[in-house]
Amino acid sequence: MKLDVLLGLQWGDEGKGKIVDVLTPKYDVIARFQGGPNAGHSLEFNDIKHVLHTIPSGIFHPEKVNIIGNGVVIDPVIFRKEIEGLKKFNINFNQLFISKKAHLILPTHRLLDAASEAAKGATKIGSTLKGIGPTYMDKTGRNGLRVGDIFASDFQQRYDNLKNKHIEMLNNYNFKFDLTEYEADWFRGVESIREFQAVDSEYMVNKFLAEDKSVLAEGAQGTLLDIDFGSYPYVTSSNTICAGACTGLGIGPNKVGEVLGIVKAYCTRVGSGPFPTELFDETGDKLRQVGREFGATTGRPRRCGWLDLPALKYSIMINGVTQMILTKSDILSEFDTIKVCVAYKINGEVTEQLPYDVNLPIEPVYKEFKGWKKDIAKATSMSDLPQELVDYIRFVEDEVKVPFSIISVGPDRKETIFK
Ligand code: GDP
Ligand code: IMO
Ligand code: MG
């Protein structure tokens, strides 16, 4: 059996959580492969909205296995809070496994994130301040602490050594802090992690595949936030792309099956960095209000703009996307005219290629579509959709040469059309 990968093709918040939850019945195993609590994955059913940060979005299906892979970084405080919040629901925690090789976010990693952002001033990344960058830096710098280390007899010593190193760095930043409260919480979180099964998840995932079990890898963030291919330096610190599923779970590239790319019907971005189709006018405000575009992790208002085809084509190329899934098309129901960016004008030249220089001014070239102005939340099949939306979907498919397999028309599990 091959492993399917689901990931975001824009700047995150495409609706990955909802779609993973919808697709979970088709799979035996759901596995997160990168990122950490910078992610906020929302899903809704029975009139309740859940937001997950570290735990895979398959967790509400008690018969399924959920794995937090080696590529993920875990903050024990946030992990414990998430577990506590889930306890009142029908969750089978015996089926949740954590890779021993997943790295731990220390309290001082969060402080370093804040200190680094403060030092950058106007050029700050707009990080979620969850300590993601500093934790991945310690991973690649070969200093990090991993989940497996919490079972070692000298864990406290290793923690203190890394913490002291961080304190020196914080002093260099002249950054003032008080660790007492968060640190106590952190060790309570570590105790909570101990109650779960820490595993060699690479063996586990490969064994599942060998036994013909189906696995869905759940990405976090989006392709345009990838450390290598995003708008560097305004990116996150992990490989959010399909290749990240190989390194973040320990599977060979020949084990990847379908690559499911989630596309929001318009674009949003939180934090700094280029956003060619960003709208600064009332249309942008309307997208934010109607689409409820406020961060699931930080509550920050999301920047909003029209769909960007050059960026989408780039994401499809980097990931080898085989199917797309469209989310939030219902939000566009309120608009008379819908625009899609088909090319960029840079220094007077029309191009479809994303420029290397993130500071170059880009003027989007738009194609306009007539809006459908009809509520589509109750649509259950393609034939229920207005012709204008079907035309919009066809246009995107023809442009990017990949089909949509699902059209999501609302946040609830049920508001989903399988094409
Ligand atoms: P993720 O990070 O990719 O999982 O996305 P987020 O959860 O951060 O943001 C997506 C938001 O859109 C959440 O509030 C979802 O409940 C919501 N959502 C997902 N799909 C749809 C959809 O098709 N229509 C509407 N109206 N909302 C959706
Ligand atoms: P999900 O999984 C949207 C953004 C931050 C910032 C940049 C770096 O919910 O789609 P970091 O905290 O990683 O150092 O921040 O990346 N960012 C996200 N934006 N959705 C996310 O996750 C994000 N995770 C990080 O806003 O611009
Ligand atoms: Mg999100």
Side-chain angles (χ1 to χ4, degrees), residues 12-18 40-44 49 264 296 302 327-331 408-411 415:
D13 304 329
E14 297 90 349
K16 299 175 290 294
K18 170 193 163 160
H41 293 182
S42 325
L43 44 104
E44 270 185 57
K49 176 172 179 160
K264 200 186 297 202
R302 294 174 180 153
T327 60
K328 304 196 93 159
S329 48
D330 53 305
I331 303 304
S408 171
V409 292
E415 292 165 321

mmCIF file of all heavy atoms in Angstrom, residues 12-18 40-44 49 264 296 302 327-331 408-411 415, ligand 1:
data_model
loop_
_atom_site.group_PDB
_atom_site.id
_atom_site.type_symbol
_atom_site.label_atom_id
_atom_site.label_comp_id
_atom_site.label_asym_id
_atom_site.label_seq_id
_atom_site.Cartn_x
_atom_site.Cartn_y
_atom_site.Cartn_z
ATOM 1 N N GLY A 12 -0.971 28.244 4.181
ATOM 2 C CA GLY A 12 -1.557 27.652 5.379
ATOM 3 C C GLY A 12 -3.025 28.020 5.504
ATOM 4 O O GLY A 12 -3.560 28.829 4.729
ATOM 5 N N ASP A 13 -3.703 27.369 6.453
ATOM 6 C CA ASP A 13 -5.123 27.636 6.750
ATOM 7 C C ASP A 13 -6.036 27.403 5.558
ATOM 8 O O ASP A 13 -7.061 28.071 5.389
ATOM 9 C CB ASP A 13 -5.301 29.079 7.283
ATOM 10 C CG ASP A 13 -4.432 29.342 8.493
ATOM 11 O OD1 ASP A 13 -4.190 28.391 9.252
ATOM 12 O OD2 ASP A 13 -3.988 30.493 8.669
ATOM 13 N N GLU A 14 -5.691 26.448 4.728
ATOM 14 C CA GLU A 14 -6.509 26.143 3.543
ATOM 15 C C GLU A 14 -7.729 25.299 3.903
ATOM 16 O O GLU A 14 -8.631 25.134 3.074
ATOM 17 C CB GLU A 14 -5.670 25.377 2.494
ATOM 18 C CG GLU A 14 -4.479 26.143 1.922
ATOM 19 C CD GLU A 14 -3.205 25.928 2.740
ATOM 20 O OE1 GLU A 14 -3.302 25.354 3.849
ATOM 21 O OE2 GLU A 14 -2.124 26.334 2.283
ATOM 22 N N GLY A 15 -7.720 24.739 5.136
ATOM 23 C CA GLY A 15 -8.828 23.855 5.537
ATOM 24 C C GLY A 15 -8.376 22.402 5.620
ATOM 25 O O GLY A 15 -9.185 21.486 5.468
ATOM 26 N N LYS A 16 -7.088 22.210 5.913
ATOM 27 C CA LYS A 16 -6.527 20.847 5.973
ATOM 28 C C LYS A 16 -7.221 20.007 7.047
ATOM 29 O O LYS A 16 -7.548 18.839 6.828
ATOM 30 C CB LYS A 16 -5.012 20.912 6.256
ATOM 31 C CG LYS A 16 -4.223 21.650 5.168
ATOM 32 C CD LYS A 16 -2.762 21.805 5.535
ATOM 33 C CE LYS A 16 -2.498 22.764 6.665
ATOM 34 N NZ LYS A 16 -2.809 24.178 6.385
ATOM 35 N N GLY A 17 -7.421 20.630 8.227
ATOM 36 C CA GLY A 17 -8.029 19.889 9.347
ATOM 37 C C GLY A 17 -9.385 19.321 8.977
ATOM 38 O O GLY A 17 -9.658 18.138 9.200
ATOM 39 N N LYS A 18 -10.231 20.147 8.377
ATOM 40 C CA LYS A 18 -11.559 19.678 7.991
ATOM 41 C C LYS A 18 -11.456 18.495 7.019
ATOM 42 O O LYS A 18 -12.147 17.487 7.164
ATOM 43 C CB LYS A 18 -12.378 20.806 7.337
ATOM 44 C CG LYS A 18 -13.635 20.216 6.740
ATOM 45 C CD LYS A 18 -14.465 21.015 5.811
ATOM 46 C CE LYS A 18 -15.371 20.023 5.078
ATOM 47 N NZ LYS A 18 -16.546 20.601 4.481
ATOM 48 N N GLY A 40 -2.874 25.363 13.364
ATOM 49 C CA GLY A 40 -4.198 25.355 13.979
ATOM 50 C C GLY A 40 -5.129 24.733 12.966
ATOM 51 O O GLY A 40 -5.435 25.349 11.948
ATOM 52 N N HIS A 41 -5.508 23.490 13.187
ATOM 53 C CA HIS A 41 -6.336 22.756 12.220
ATOM 54 C C HIS A 41 -7.747 22.621 12.779
ATOM 55 O O HIS A 41 -7.961 21.961 13.798
ATOM 56 C CB HIS A 41 -5.724 21.380 11.931
ATOM 57 C CG HIS A 41 -4.414 21.483 11.203
ATOM 58 N ND1 HIS A 41 -3.689 20.390 10.796
ATOM 59 C CD2 HIS A 41 -3.704 22.566 10.794
ATOM 60 C CE1 HIS A 41 -2.591 20.802 10.166
ATOM 61 N NE2 HIS A 41 -2.579 22.117 10.172
ATOM 62 N N SER A 42 -8.711 23.261 12.104
ATOM 63 C CA SER A 42 -10.088 23.257 12.620
ATOM 64 C C SER A 42 -10.913 22.209 11.910
ATOM 65 O O SER A 42 -10.773 21.992 10.708
ATOM 66 C CB SER A 42 -10.764 24.608 12.375
ATOM 67 O OG SER A 42 -9.858 25.655 12.493
ATOM 68 N N LEU A 43 -11.806 21.608 12.679
ATOM 69 C CA LEU A 43 -12.783 20.705 12.079
ATOM 70 C C LEU A 43 -14.074 20.816 12.870
ATOM 71 O O LEU A 43 -14.063 21.149 14.052
ATOM 72 C CB LEU A 43 -12.245 19.274 12.049
ATOM 73 C CG LEU A 43 -11.553 18.743 13.295
ATOM 74 C CD1 LEU A 43 -12.461 17.800 14.018
ATOM 75 C CD2 LEU A 43 -10.272 18.058 12.877
ATOM 76 N N GLU A 44 -15.186 20.570 12.192
ATOM 77 C CA GLU A 44 -16.501 20.770 12.810
ATOM 78 C C GLU A 44 -17.428 19.610 12.538
ATOM 79 O O GLU A 44 -17.516 19.126 11.408
ATOM 80 C CB GLU A 44 -17.158 22.026 12.193
ATOM 81 C CG GLU A 44 -16.834 23.294 12.934
ATOM 82 C CD GLU A 44 -17.594 24.503 12.389
ATOM 83 O OE1 GLU A 44 -18.846 24.466 12.346
ATOM 84 O OE2 GLU A 44 -16.913 25.468 12.002
ATOM 85 N N LYS A 49 -16.929 23.108 17.056
ATOM 86 C CA LYS A 49 -15.703 23.333 16.295
ATOM 87 C C LYS A 49 -14.517 22.954 17.174
ATOM 88 O O LYS A 49 -14.420 23.389 18.327
ATOM 89 C CB LYS A 49 -15.633 24.814 15.912
ATOM 90 C CG LYS A 49 -14.358 25.189 15.188
ATOM 91 C CD LYS A 49 -14.429 26.609 14.671
ATOM 92 C CE LYS A 49 -13.141 26.964 13.970
ATOM 93 N NZ LYS A 49 -13.285 28.096 13.077
ATOM 94 N N LYS A 264 -7.639 26.874 -1.044
ATOM 95 C CA LYS A 264 -8.745 27.749 -0.648
ATOM 96 C C LYS A 264 -9.157 28.530 -1.893
ATOM 97 O O LYS A 264 -8.294 28.875 -2.714
ATOM 98 C CB LYS A 264 -8.272 28.683 0.476
ATOM 99 C CG LYS A 264 -9.397 29.282 1.283
ATOM 100 C CD LYS A 264 -8.947 30.317 2.306
ATOM 101 C CE LYS A 264 -8.049 29.823 3.385
ATOM 102 N NZ LYS A 264 -8.052 30.682 4.584
ATOM 103 N N ALA A 296 -6.406 30.517 13.703
ATOM 104 C CA ALA A 296 -6.882 29.490 14.630
ATOM 105 C C ALA A 296 -5.893 29.310 15.780
ATOM 106 O O ALA A 296 -6.231 28.753 16.819
ATOM 107 C CB ALA A 296 -7.081 28.172 13.887
ATOM 108 N N ARG A 302 -6.283 37.495 9.320
ATOM 109 C CA ARG A 302 -5.504 37.003 8.176
ATOM 110 C C ARG A 302 -5.580 38.018 7.043
ATOM 111 O O ARG A 302 -6.646 38.594 6.800
ATOM 112 C CB ARG A 302 -6.057 35.650 7.707
ATOM 113 C CG ARG A 302 -5.870 34.542 8.734
ATOM 114 C CD ARG A 302 -6.573 33.256 8.292
ATOM 115 N NE ARG A 302 -6.392 32.185 9.266
ATOM 116 C CZ ARG A 302 -7.248 31.170 9.440
ATOM 117 N NH1 ARG A 302 -8.331 31.085 8.697
ATOM 118 N NH2 ARG A 302 -7.015 30.239 10.329
ATOM 119 N N THR A 327 -11.612 24.370 -1.005
ATOM 120 C CA THR A 327 -12.344 24.726 0.209
ATOM 121 C C THR A 327 -12.844 26.167 0.124
ATOM 122 O O THR A 327 -12.321 26.981 -0.638
ATOM 123 C CB THR A 327 -11.461 24.589 1.462
ATOM 124 O OG1 THR A 327 -10.340 25.452 1.331
ATOM 125 C CG2 THR A 327 -10.987 23.165 1.676
ATOM 126 N N LYS A 328 -13.853 26.444 0.917
ATOM 127 C CA LYS A 328 -14.379 27.799 1.122
ATOM 128 C C LYS A 328 -14.926 28.460 -0.145
ATOM 129 O O LYS A 328 -14.975 29.684 -0.224
ATOM 130 C CB LYS A 328 -13.333 28.676 1.817
ATOM 131 C CG LYS A 328 -12.861 28.066 3.147
ATOM 132 C CD LYS A 328 -12.140 29.021 4.050
ATOM 133 C CE LYS A 328 -13.077 29.688 5.030
ATOM 134 N NZ LYS A 328 -12.403 30.227 6.228
ATOM 135 N N SER A 329 -15.337 27.635 -1.112
ATOM 136 C CA SER A 329 -15.959 28.224 -2.300
ATOM 137 C C SER A 329 -17.257 28.932 -1.894
ATOM 138 O O SER A 329 -17.676 29.895 -2.536
ATOM 139 C CB SER A 329 -16.232 27.156 -3.352
ATOM 140 O OG SER A 329 -16.869 26.056 -2.767
ATOM 141 N N ASP A 330 -17.890 28.475 -0.800
ATOM 142 C CA ASP A 330 -19.132 29.102 -0.325
ATOM 143 C C ASP A 330 -18.929 30.572 0.054
ATOM 144 O O ASP A 330 -19.858 31.368 -0.038
ATOM 145 C CB ASP A 330 -19.696 28.334 0.887
ATOM 146 C CG ASP A 330 -18.662 28.151 1.988
ATOM 147 O OD1 ASP A 330 -17.580 27.607 1.695
ATOM 148 O OD2 ASP A 330 -18.913 28.578 3.132
ATOM 149 N N ILE A 331 -17.724 30.920 0.465
ATOM 150 C CA ILE A 331 -17.465 32.308 0.874
ATOM 151 C C ILE A 331 -17.596 33.242 -0.334
ATOM 152 O O ILE A 331 -18.046 34.375 -0.221
ATOM 153 C CB ILE A 331 -16.058 32.437 1.521
ATOM 154 C CG1 ILE A 331 -15.935 31.489 2.717
ATOM 155 C CG2 ILE A 331 -15.735 33.876 1.908
ATOM 156 C CD1 ILE A 331 -16.987 31.652 3.798
ATOM 157 N N SER A 408 -15.439 21.598 -0.997
ATOM 158 C CA SER A 408 -15.977 21.829 0.344
ATOM 159 C C SER A 408 -16.810 23.102 0.310
ATOM 160 O O SER A 408 -16.370 24.130 -0.193
ATOM 161 C CB SER A 408 -14.809 21.955 1.324
ATOM 162 O OG SER A 408 -15.261 22.388 2.581
ATOM 163 N N VAL A 409 -18.046 23.021 0.851
ATOM 164 C CA VAL A 409 -18.961 24.169 0.759
ATOM 165 C C VAL A 409 -19.360 24.709 2.139
ATOM 166 O O VAL A 409 -20.322 25.454 2.261
ATOM 167 C CB VAL A 409 -20.217 23.819 -0.079
ATOM 168 C CG1 VAL A 409 -19.840 23.609 -1.534
ATOM 169 C CG2 VAL A 409 -20.930 22.582 0.475
ATOM 170 N N GLY A 410 -18.623 24.316 3.171
ATOM 171 C CA GLY A 410 -18.890 24.808 4.515
ATOM 172 C C GLY A 410 -17.934 24.152 5.482
ATOM 173 O O GLY A 410 -17.249 23.185 5.123
ATOM 174 N N PRO A 411 -17.853 24.659 6.722
ATOM 175 C CA PRO A 411 -16.867 24.120 7.662
ATOM 176 C C PRO A 411 -17.220 22.746 8.225
ATOM 177 O O PRO A 411 -16.351 22.015 8.706
ATOM 178 C CB PRO A 411 -16.851 25.162 8.795
ATOM 179 C CG PRO A 411 -18.144 25.912 8.682
ATOM 180 C CD PRO A 411 -18.547 25.853 7.243
ATOM 181 N N GLU A 415 -20.687 19.241 4.990
ATOM 182 C CA GLU A 415 -20.725 20.210 3.884
ATOM 183 C C GLU A 415 -19.584 19.935 2.891
ATOM 184 O O GLU A 415 -18.667 20.740 2.715
ATOM 185 C CB GLU A 415 -20.656 21.632 4.458
ATOM 186 C CG GLU A 415 -21.925 21.962 5.240
ATOM 187 C CD GLU A 415 -21.808 23.192 6.130
ATOM 188 O OE1 GLU A 415 -20.770 23.418 6.751
ATOM 189 O OE2 GLU A 415 -22.798 23.929 6.219
HETATM 190 P P1 GDP B 1 -6.015 24.474 8.339
HETATM 191 O O1 GDP B 1 -4.958 25.092 9.171
HETATM 192 O O2 GDP B 1 -5.592 24.268 6.930
HETATM 193 O O3 GDP B 1 -6.591 23.230 8.946
HETATM 194 O O4 GDP B 1 -7.200 25.551 8.264
HETATM 195 P P2 GDP B 1 -7.795 26.399 9.513
HETATM 196 O O5 GDP B 1 -8.570 25.486 10.378
HETATM 197 O O6 GDP B 1 -6.727 27.197 10.164
HETATM 198 O O7 GDP B 1 -8.709 27.442 8.745
HETATM 199 C C1 GDP B 1 -9.723 27.025 7.918
HETATM 200 C C2 GDP B 1 -11.047 27.621 8.449
HETATM 201 O O8 GDP B 1 -12.039 27.486 7.480
HETATM 202 C C3 GDP B 1 -11.571 26.897 9.672
HETATM 203 O O9 GDP B 1 -12.286 27.810 10.466
HETATM 204 C C4 GDP B 1 -12.518 25.851 9.064
HETATM 205 O O10 GDP B 1 -13.551 25.478 9.973
HETATM 206 C C5 GDP B 1 -13.078 26.616 7.918
HETATM 207 N N1 GDP B 1 -13.456 25.842 6.723
HETATM 208 C C6 GDP B 1 -12.855 24.760 6.168
HETATM 209 N N2 GDP B 1 -13.437 24.433 4.991
HETATM 210 C C7 GDP B 1 -14.432 25.322 4.805
HETATM 211 C C8 GDP B 1 -15.391 25.548 3.749
HETATM 212 O O11 GDP B 1 -15.429 24.860 2.738
HETATM 213 N N3 GDP B 1 -16.247 26.608 3.906
HETATM 214 C C9 GDP B 1 -16.226 27.411 5.009
HETATM 215 N N4 GDP B 1 -17.093 28.407 5.076
HETATM 216 N N5 GDP B 1 -15.351 27.232 5.998
HETATM 217 C C10 GDP B 1 -14.450 26.215 5.900
#
